[in-house]
Amino acid sequence: MKKKLKRTKNLKRSILFCGVLLVAALFVAAWMNERQREAEVRATYQEAEELIERELYGEAEELLEQIGEKVYSDLETQELLALCQSHMSYDGDDIATAYSTVNSLELQNVSAEIQEKLESYKEQVTAEYEVYLEEQAIAESEAEEQKKKEQEEQAAAKEKSFLESLSKKVPYVGMSETYISKTSLGEPSSTVRHNTEMISGQAYTANLYDFKSGNKTIFTARCVQGKVIQVWDNRDKVSSGSSSSSSRSSSKSSSSSKDEYNASDYDDPEEFYYDHYDDFDGYEDAETYWEDAQ
């Protein structure tokens, strides 16, 4: 029984010893692998440095990208990669990217040759970048001027087209008051009448423009706040009434002495009122006068 227990203890010791040996072997293997990987990284890094010294930046970039994110305190992998990428941008005429990539780049653990080339390259790129900025400013200014010119030409063409269209129309509601003399009716009467328009409890001065044919008002446009808000078109009335004007004037000659405003010459009270707005207290007074003169 004692021999059996002794054999069991010896077996446990052997297993424990083998386990320790296995762990030690694995640790040594991992350490060896890490040392081998580090040696490979350093060899790749050194080769990349040599390529940079020879200004073979594309090949150096490929090697540095193989190293990836492996970090060793004395290796400036990412900095050298940025230097290579800046040179490649510069060779591709992308001066803005070349400058932004290298402008703040600092190297500490590189050869004197690389350091010297870096400083010289930064000066060159900075100088060319300043020229680039000036050229960009000029180009942007010219582009802005060209855009402004095109917009002005488009606006002028649009205005011309609008005026051509307006010249075939009469004033209409919603039209800008500035175009009041640009319609087919031509210039309105030099005398602009005025009255008051109430909008939301506030009083505004209204301008009334009369367009005449002889001494007859054929059209009136009323404007408030720079817009036509109301029109009276009497062209048809004047045209239809012209053929009988002589008979009407003769038949009413007896009352002409009492009709100082010639109300009998008007076919309706509205037309009469807007020709003699200032002569009456309101539309009703003008309408009564007109009716009495008929």
Side-chain angles (χ1 to χ4, degrees):
M1 187 68 176
K2 290 182 178 179
K3 290 182 179 180
K4 186 176 180 180
L5 290 173
K6 187 176 182 178
R7 286 196 299 270
T8 301
K9 290 181 179 180
N10 290 336
L11 179 60
K12 289 181 178 179
R13 289 193 186 100
S14 297
I15 292 172
L16 179 61
F17 181 71
C18 290
V20 171
L21 288 178
L22 179 59
V23 170
L26 291 174
F27 177 81
V28 170
W31 183 84
M32 292 294 292
N33 287 337
E34 179 57 31
R35 297 287 73 76
Q36 182 178 356
R37 285 196 295 270
E38 182 178 353
E40 291 173 352
V41 167
R42 291 185 178 279
T44 301
Y45 184 87
Q46 183 177 358
E47 185 178 354
E49 276 191 304
E50 293 171 355
L51 290 170
I52 290 173
E53 290 176 356
R54 293 160 55 194
E55 300 183 6
L56 299 174
Y57 300 106
E59 296 177 27
E61 181 191 35
E62 292 179 4
L63 292 179
L64 292 168
E65 286 181 340
Q66 290 177 19
I67 297 175
E69 297 296 328
K70 294 183 179 67
V71 178
Y72 299 101
S73 59
D74 59 328
L75 301 187
E76 297 176 297
T77 306
Q78 297 305 311
E79 289 79 1
L80 289 183
L81 185 59
L83 176 60
C84 293
Q85 291 171 343
S86 176
H87 273 282
M88 295 174 70
S89 296
Y90 179 83
D91 293 339
D93 294 327
D94 186 355
I95 189 66
T97 301
Y99 173 80
S100 64
T101 306
V102 80
N103 179 46
S104 59
L105 182 61
E106 298 292 340
L107 298 175
Q108 303 296 331
N109 302 316
V110 295
S111 67
E113 184 176 354
I114 292 179
Q115 188 69 47
E116 183 178 343
K117 286 185 176 181
L118 171 61
E119 296 305 319
S120 176
Y121 173 65
K122 287 173 72 172
E123 290 179 4
Q124 178 183 352
V125 170
T126 300
E128 293 189 23
Y129 181 68
E130 290 175 354
V131 173
Y132 164 81
L133 289 179
E134 292 176 0
E135 293 175 345
Q136 282 292 103
I138 293 172
E140 289 174 3
S141 177
E142 291 177 347
E144 188 64 28
E145 286 295 324
Q146 180 63 26
K147 181 179 179 181
K148 182 179 179 181
K149 180 180 178 181
E150 291 175 356
Q151 289 175 339
E152 289 175 350
E153 289 175 349
Q154 291 174 359
K158 186 176 180 181
E159 178 77 358
K160 181 180 179 182
S161 176
F162 171 73
L163 290 176
E164 289 176 352
S165 173
L166 190 63
S167 67
K168 302 173 184 177
K169 301 177 181 178
V170 295
Y172 55 88
V173 173
M175 187 185 84
S176 172
E177 186 174 358
T178 58
Y179 295 115
I180 200 70
S181 63
K182 305 296 183 181
T183 70
S184 62
L185 298 180
E187 292 282 349
S189 172
S190 59
T191 301
V192 180
R193 295 182 290 114
H194 306 283
N195 60 20
T196 301
E197 176 74 11
M198 299 298 295
I199 300 176
S200 301
Q202 186 171 350
Y204 294 89
T205 298
N207 301 324
L208 290 94
Y209 296 91
D210 296 317
F211 297 84
K212 295 181 177 291
S213 176
N215 61 355
K216 287 280 189 177
T217 299
I218 61 173
F219 198 98
T220 298
R222 187 166 180 256
C223 301
V224 175
Q225 292 184 292
K227 295 285 185 181
V228 176
I229 67 165
Q230 193 174 11
V231 295
W232 290 270
D233 190 348
N234 297 314
R235 289 172 297 169
D236 291 341
K237 296 176 182 178
V238 171
S239 176
S240 62
S242 60
S243 61
S244 58
S245 61
S246 60
S247 60
R248 183 167 62 246
S249 61
S250 61
S251 63
K252 297 179 179 178
S253 58
S254 59
S255 62
S256 60
S257 59
K258 297 180 182 180
D259 184 8
E260 61 178 308
Y261 299 118
N262 298 318
S264 59
D265 291 338
Y266 290 86
D267 293 324
D268 62 66
E270 278 192 8
E271 180 185 353
F272 172 69
Y273 172 67
Y274 282 106
D275 269 1
H276 299 279
Y277 175 84
D278 294 329
D279 299 319
F280 296 91
D281 293 333
Y283 176 77
E284 291 182 356
D285 287 345
E287 184 180 30
T288 300
Y289 182 94
W290 177 82
E291 288 174 348
D292 292 342
Q294 302 307 307

